[in-house]
Amino acid sequence: MPFSTTDTIVAIATPFGRGGIGVVRISGPDAVRIGSALSGRASFEPRHATFVRLGGAARDQAIVTWFSSPASYTGEDVLEISAHGSPVLLNGIVRDAMRAGARLAEPGEFTLRAYLHGRIDLVQAEAVQDLVSAVTPLQARTAFDQLEGTLTGRIRDIDAALFDLSARLEASLDFPGEGYHFVEPGRVASELSEVIDPIDKLLRQARAGRLVREGAQVVIVGRPNAGKSTLFNALAGAGRAIVTDIPGTTRDLLAESVDLGGVAITLVDTAGLREAPADAVEAEGMARARSAAALAHLTLVVVDRSRPLDEDDWALLSSVDEATRIVVMSKADLRAAWPEAILKTRAVAVSVTADLGLDTLRRRILDTLGLAEHHRDTPAITNIRHVDLLERARAALMQARDTASAMMPEELVAADVAEARSLLEEITGARTADDTLHAIFDRFCIGK
Ligand SMILES: Nc1nc2c(ncn2[C@@H]2O[C@H](COP(=O)(O)OP(=O)(O)OP(=O)(O)O)[C@@H](O)[C@H]2O)c(=O)[nH]1
Ligand SMILES: [Mg+2]
């Protein structure tokens, strides 16, 4: 995609399939002329819904809305044709538009044009994609905030402070002998700290932000018969996994998507872990369980409280990192065979049969992931591309601060500050390589 914006593009903007209406979007200098060719109407009024009859390969009654440049999604003339939502018809309209001179849009090309025309920055363009692909309300709200410019604003504030500092650094470089003191040498380090602070604040939200955007993997492990599949079914809200009283019932990994307080959780049920597997199938199931747990954001270790803890339980408890696990004491409706204090760690007592402790467990899962609902704002930064660039900008500023503290020449400080600023500009897209744009917009669907 050579990022041409001189031609006119067309695509179906609504999802594939049948619906009450379907929308074809046309953007570019010829949008209005093509709309006239399709409908036989000589002109349209901006921002007015106009009833037309389409008369080409696609015959239909439709509503045409013209958003005249620059007040449109892409910044170009945009024509939206709302026809009946039939794939045959909508494809016909696209073909007619192409016959009249439009080109089929690439994935994300409408949003790319909005970015290239300065209607939105890159963070906002990426937010459009996140908003469209959100599967939980929290994901949608977080993406919406970014579309509204929350992250853009924070980056702009940080960059404004750096702009001011680098201007003064440059000025004192330009007039070295003349006694101009645009920057007080002793103050540069502390000014840099003031810029690093808000960056740190943003980065602290990054882990939670990424979990909100990308979802979290939560794996259930435990000894055979501990009640893993029962718990899995209860959290998933569906009888997905087979439950029996025969140890070794679950052999393979089972995964289910669950919305937990707005966080998209992939919940994984696994084969019970024990010292001596009964056969090769169970051994393979156990190997898969271990590798799933190793990759998980969080592991639920299920121990059956109604039976004495055995070697297998202890082996498992000591093999899972405490920071990323929750111990679940299952079958809390039955008489306890051991006191919780034996564990020397906090555990959640749960009984699926008696519906006990499940809400506490759900809350604990979010807490342990760092996503506790009560002190959760929508995270400002969620996208790994942004996090990575921000971390690199921070590293450059730390280096600038060290250089300044060591009273090294100002131009070294200025070079690091310039580096940090160019990294920040890559986040918003003020300065961005073409291949970054390809990587971002190729993930969009056609018509966006
Ligand atoms: N009383 C009681 N029984 C439970 C509870 N949870 C599970 N069970 C019983 O425990 C037995 C084993 O349950 P599963 O969920 O299949 O256990 P599992 O850990 O998946 O077992 P494997 O797949 O064999 O590793 C079944 O008979 C369940 O009905 C509970 O909360 N209370
Ligand atoms: Mg099971």
Side-chain angles (χ1 to χ4, degrees):
M1 214 201 299
F3 303 140
S4 134
T5 55
T6 52
D7 54 355
T8 299
I9 53 176
V10 63
I12 301 171
T14 38
F16 184 78
R18 291 165 210 290
I21 61 166
V23 176
V24 172
R25 184 140 73 164
I26 306 174
S27 178
D30 287 334
V32 176
R33 185 189 57 72
I34 291 169
S36 298
L38 264 55
S39 64
R41 266 191 83 95
S43 67
F44 302 94
E45 207 178 320
R47 292 165 176 279
H48 276 252
T50 309
F51 178 84
V52 299
R53 283 203 166 70
L54 304 173
R59 284 173 184 275
D60 193 14
Q61 303 167 341
I63 301 291
V64 172
T65 318
W66 169 36
F67 301 91
S68 78
S69 171
S72 73
Y73 182 66
T74 60
E76 304 172 337
D77 270 342
V78 171
L79 218 67
E80 285 184 1
I81 303 174
S82 305
H84 290 107
S86 138
V88 182
L89 202 58
L90 297 173
N91 282 325
I93 297 173
V94 169
R95 262 201 307 282
D96 287 340
M98 290 171 72
R99 211 164 285 137
R103 164 173 69 75
L104 194 62
E106 303 277 347
E109 199 172 1
F110 290 94
T111 309
L112 173 64
R113 287 190 172 194
Y115 161 70
L116 291 174
H117 292 303
R119 299 284 295 167
I120 53 176
D121 69 11
L122 207 47
V123 169
Q124 291 168 310
E126 290 170 289
V128 170
Q129 171 69 352
D130 285 354
L131 191 55
V132 171
S133 33
V135 295
T136 73
L138 179 64
Q139 285 177 328
R141 207 166 67 232
T142 308
F144 177 74
D145 284 354
Q146 289 180 17
L147 181 59
E148 289 276 281
T150 44
L151 179 59
T152 304
R154 307 250 186 114
I155 302 281
R156 198 187 300 123
D157 291 346
I158 293 166
D159 191 52
L162 286 178
F163 173 77
D164 184 60
L165 177 63
S166 63
R168 282 177 294 132
L169 283 168
E170 299 291 338
S172 48
L173 282 176
D174 287 345
F175 305 98
E178 303 184 23
Y180 284 87
H181 286 294
F182 297 97
V183 271
E184 222 180 286
R187 263 198 55 79
V188 177
S190 69
E191 281 193 38
L192 282 165
S193 296
E194 279 164 31
V195 182
I196 293 170
D197 274 355
I199 293 184
D200 283 344
K201 204 174 282 173
L202 272 177
L203 286 175
R204 271 198 297 278
Q205 297 180 4
R207 190 182 114 86
R210 284 194 61 198
L211 286 174
V212 168
R213 179 172 184 260
E214 288 159 29
Q217 178 110 330
V218 176
V219 175
I220 306 176
V221 296
R223 199 176 63 180
N225 234 23
K228 300 178 296 300
S229 299
T230 307
L231 179 64
F232 172 82
N233 288 341
L235 291 174
R240 271 274 276 131
I242 299 174
V243 169
T244 74
D245 56 4
I246 305 164
T249 301
T250 307
R251 298 299 187 92
D252 224 329
L253 300 179
L254 273 179
E256 191 70 44
S257 304
V258 183
D259 174 348
L260 210 74
V263 183
I265 301 277
T266 304
L267 194 65
V268 183
D269 184 24
T270 64
L273 296 170
R274 59 179 155 188
E275 199 56 38
D279 54 34
V281 182
E282 190 179 356
E284 175 59 23
M286 284 168 52
R288 290 182 186 205
R290 290 206 172 86
S291 51
L295 293 174
H297 294 97
L298 177 67
T299 308
L300 305 183
V301 182
V302 181
V303 283
D304 183 343
R305 207 180 62 167
S306 70
R307 291 186 33 169
L309 289 165
D310 67 9
E311 306 259 300
D312 290 329
D313 290 310
W314 288 116
L316 189 61
L317 284 166
S318 62
S319 71
V320 181
D321 183 3
E322 281 197 40
T324 56
R325 76 165 190 211
I326 296 171
V327 178
V328 179
M329 297 181 296
S330 64
K331 311 188 191 179
D333 54 298
L334 302 180
R335 219 166 71 88
W338 41 272
E340 184 184 345
I342 284 188
L343 291 176
K344 297 199 168 58
T345 178
R346 248 160 30 109
V348 185
V350 168
S351 163
V352 175
T353 320
D355 192 13
L356 278 175
L358 282 167
D359 280 335
T360 311
L361 177 60
R362 287 190 186 94
R363 268 198 305 278
R364 185 73 86 71
I365 292 173
L366 291 175
D367 282 355
T368 314
L369 289 169
L371 296 167
E373 260 172 307
H374 52 276
H375 56 79
R376 184 172 69 202
D377 299 325
T378 55
I381 186 162
T382 57
N383 183 319
I384 180 68
R385 190 184 76 82
H386 307 159
V387 175
D388 177 52
L389 287 163
L390 199 60
E391 275 171 350
R392 284 161 59 197
R394 181 184 187 278
L397 292 173
M398 295 292 279
Q399 190 167 316
R401 192 172 67 179
D402 290 348
T403 310
S405 307
M407 293 301 200
M408 309 258 275
E410 281 153 336
E411 50 211 295
L412 295 180
V413 180
D416 286 332
V417 171
E419 163 78 7
R421 291 194 62 209
S422 81
L423 290 161
L424 293 176
E425 284 171 358
E426 261 185 69
I427 296 179
T428 54
R431 180 191 317 207
T432 297
D434 278 6
D435 47 356
T436 306
L437 294 184
H438 277 301
I440 292 169
F441 287 98
D442 286 356
R443 281 200 288 271
F444 277 65
C445 43
I446 306 249
K448 275 282 147 335

